[in-house]
Each structure stands twice: as C-alpha cells, then as structure tokens.
Amino acid sequence: MSEFTNPNLEVSISAEEIQKRIAELGADIARDYAGKNPLMIGVLKGACTFLSDLMRAADIQLGVEFMAISSYGAEMRTSGEVRILKDLDVAIEGRHILVVEDIVDTGLTLSYLLANLKSRGAASVKLAALLDKHERREKDVPIDYLGFKIPDKFVVGYGLDFAERYRNLPYIAVVKDPNMT
Ligand code: 5GP
C-alpha cells in the first residue's frame, strides 16, 4: 500500500510549497553568509531532509555537521530533558554556525543547544527552522530563517516521524487517527 497517499494523512504543507520556501531561504542564507564559510549543524534525525535541501539551495562555500539530542520518544510529548546523544566532530571556535532544525515547539531543546554552541566560542550562532509551533513556546528562541508557522497540531513527514514512521513523506501532514495504521 502507498505510504504517500495514506488516507490517514491530511496534507498541511505540500512538497511544492516546501521547495519554494526553501529556495527563498537558501537565497537569504547565501546573501547573509557570503564569504563567511558557515557551518550548518543539522539536528538528527528530523532535520536531515530540510538540511539536505537547504544546503543545496545556498550557493556559497559552507560546511555540514550533525548533532543528535534527546527529544520526543515514540510518544507525542516533550520531556523537557535535553541530552547530547551525538556531539560535533570538530571545534567551532571562530566559526559562523547555522543550526538547522525541523521544528521549534516548546523551544526547550533549541534554547539549550544554542547556548551550548555559543559557549564553545563560535563567532555567531543562528537558527534555521522549517516549522514554528509558536503557540507552544515556553522558552524564547529567535528563529533567523523560518519556513512556516503552524498551529498546535502534531505533524509528520519531510523528516518528522511518529514512532519512527512517515519521515520519508515529501510533504508535511497531520495524522488523523494516531491509532490507525
Ligand atoms: P521542543 O524542545 O521545541 O519542544 O521540541 C523540539 C523537537 O520536538 C523537534 O525537534 C521534534 O523532534 C519534536 N517535535 C515537536 N513537535 C513535533 C511534531 O509536531 N511532530 C514531530 N514529529 N515531532 C515534533
């Protein structure tokens, strides 16, 4: 059975809309970081799809690294607990850092991560996020490059999962009935 046309999914942002917005964000990043050789840091696993499209939309010299931090498990809630599961392989002193994240929800994860990276002596630390669930914010996190503001609904696709499923959808969707497969 097709996963992409699963009737239990309601498309909220189409693949075309995502790609159009990423082209704009990539142009903004290329303009702002020209000659600065920024380091894009993708937060695994959710941001991998956004990062791979965003870096190809930014026509400048740049580097790419990955980090993994704890967030949601198989359940639809945040624990507030932040742990670094995979750290950077390189020092970032003096580098211009652009953290690339799938979604900012409560902001707890990102506020911790941004402060952590700043404390390592980066020249600058900015944030690119595909989605902003602003209604749920508990910690203020400035998003320098934002894809879309979305309402407070649990979304999947384009890297985002529900119990490790749906990351491969080319669009963002809401799961209508989480108990249905
Ligand atoms: P925060 O610390 O901002 O509350 O949580 C951010 C992380 O929670 C995101 O990186 C993502 O992994 C997860 N998350 C928040 N909202 C959603 C959602 O609607 N769908 C999915 N799949 N993950 C979410």
Side-chain angles (χ1 to χ4, degrees):
M1 195 185 83
S2 165
E3 184 80 324
F4 296 174
T5 58
N6 185 328
N8 195 28
L9 297 172
E10 187 186 319
V11 180
S12 57
I13 308 173
S14 72
E16 292 74 22
E17 286 176 284
I18 294 172
Q19 294 308 325
K20 184 170 172 279
R21 185 71 189 115
I22 288 178
E24 293 167 355
L25 294 177
D28 291 348
I29 289 167
R31 184 196 60 225
D32 297 349
Y33 285 95
K36 290 186 173 171
N37 186 20
L39 186 64
M40 283 190 176
I41 299 180
V43 184
L44 294 170
K45 302 173 196 170
C48 68
T49 323
F50 180 39
L51 174 69
S52 69
D53 282 343
L54 188 63
M55 69 176 174
R56 284 177 291 176
D59 183 12
I60 49 165
Q61 182 186 337
L62 56 78
V64 176
E65 284 285 329
F66 290 98
M67 283 182 86
I69 48 185
S70 62
S71 57
Y72 287 82
E75 298 171 335
M76 287 185 191
R77 63 175 176 78
T78 188
S79 65
E81 183 195 341
V82 176
R83 278 186 304 137
I84 295 182
L85 305 176
K86 184 215 172 295
D87 208 340
L88 297 172
D89 299 324
V90 295
I92 57 167
E93 217 180 319
R95 294 292 304 267
H96 292 281
I97 303 301
L98 182 60
V99 174
V100 179
E101 178 61 303
D102 48 10
I103 184 167
V104 184
D105 187 20
T106 63
L108 294 170
T109 316
L110 261 305
S111 71
Y112 171 86
L113 184 65
L114 295 173
N116 178 291
L117 294 172
K118 277 178 194 153
S119 77
R120 302 186 197 194
S124 68
V125 180
K126 289 190 173 185
L127 173 64
L130 182 69
L131 304 173
D132 178 10
K133 239 193 233 182
H134 52 103
E135 289 164 36
R136 298 209 352 123
R137 198 72 88 255
E138 288 175 29
K139 286 245 172 145
D140 193 31
V141 179
I143 305 176
D144 303 283
Y145 304 94
L146 173 66
F148 304 91
K149 277 193 174 183
I150 60 165
D152 181 16
K153 281 189 181 170
F154 191 84
V155 289
V156 297
Y158 197 73
L160 288 158
D161 75 310
F162 173 50
E164 291 303 325
R165 187 174 168 182
Y166 301 123
R167 290 193 197 275
N168 58 328
L169 301 178
Y171 53 84
I172 299 286
V174 175
V175 180
K176 291 181 198 162
D177 179 359
N179 299 315
M180 220 175 90
T181 52

